[in-house]
Amino acid sequence: MDLPLNPFKAALRRSEPLYGIWAGFATPYAAEIIATTGYDWMLVDGEHAPNTVPTLLAQLQAVAPYATHPVVRAVHGDAVLMKQLLDAGVQTLMVPMVETAEQARALVQAMRYPPHGIRGVGGGLTRATRWDAVPDYIRTAHEQLCLVVQIESRLGVENAAEIAAVDGVDAVFIGPADLSTGMGHAGDASQPEVQDCIRRTIETTLAHGKACGILAPREEDARRYTEWGCRFVAVAIDISLMRQAAVANLARYRAPSQPAIVSTTY
Ligand SMILES: O=C(O)C(=O)C[C@H](O)[C@@H](O)CO
């Protein structure tokens, strides 16, 4: 069989925005529900959701029949963990908290086989090669792999040009929660100095010919960042959507201040 294509990587080169959703339930059943809703991509979160390599694999398998592309976020940029995720068939990998070009170069190395990198060969053991059904995987894998690095600190913003310039970095994704918190604004990315960092990072990334993405669950933020040039924007978080819907539904029957009748306090 042919090496599976990465439509997300191809779409990053086009100009239309790609709308994504954060998938935080860490189960294949919930991931599959999300994959049926029509978002261009979904972020399967291995950093802040309770995921492991087997749960991430199960979610990749669950969403494989659908057009929504799974972007998997590793808990950190460890080459050994990345090897496991790539072997499980992750095509688009996001790595949090990248602050220097040196770190970005190490991530590129972890994505590639020698002589271009350090990725170990799993061969017929791996889903990535479809258990050896894909011929010439070692030579061609890099064409369909996509590396997204997260810039989410003041140091990362300062080094954004060098990071975006690294050959093999396909895109930069801004983390507004960590960026604002690290700048002393406790998750409030609306602060002018945080907005300034976000805008500069977008502009710098685009100037280096790379795509830029961001998490923006509030519509006005998503529209502004898209205007500023963000190509892939996560406009929702599945867990928040469920909680908001549950709270709003209950509020139709009971005032929010009323306690639940069934209590766990004895
Ligand atoms: O800093 C950010 O913003 C992110 O990286 C995304 C958060 O980690 C996300 O989990 C918020 O729900």
Side-chain angles (χ1 to χ4, degrees), residues 22 45 48 73 150 152 175-178 215 237:
W22 224 256
D45 196 352
H48 287 301
R73 178 162 75 167
Q150 266 199 279
E152 45 185 350
D178 277 305
L215 171 61
I237 299 174

Side-chain angles (χ1 to χ4, degrees), residues 22 43 45 47-49 73 94 96-97 150-152 173-181 214-215 217 237 240:
W22 224 256
L43 190 288
D45 196 352
E47 186 188 9
H48 287 301
R73 178 162 75 167
M94 187 189 289
M97 203 52 87
Q150 266 199 279
I151 290 185
E152 45 185 350
F173 191 90
I174 299 167
D178 277 305
L179 180 59
S180 53
T181 302
I214 195 164
L215 171 61
I237 299 174
S240 309

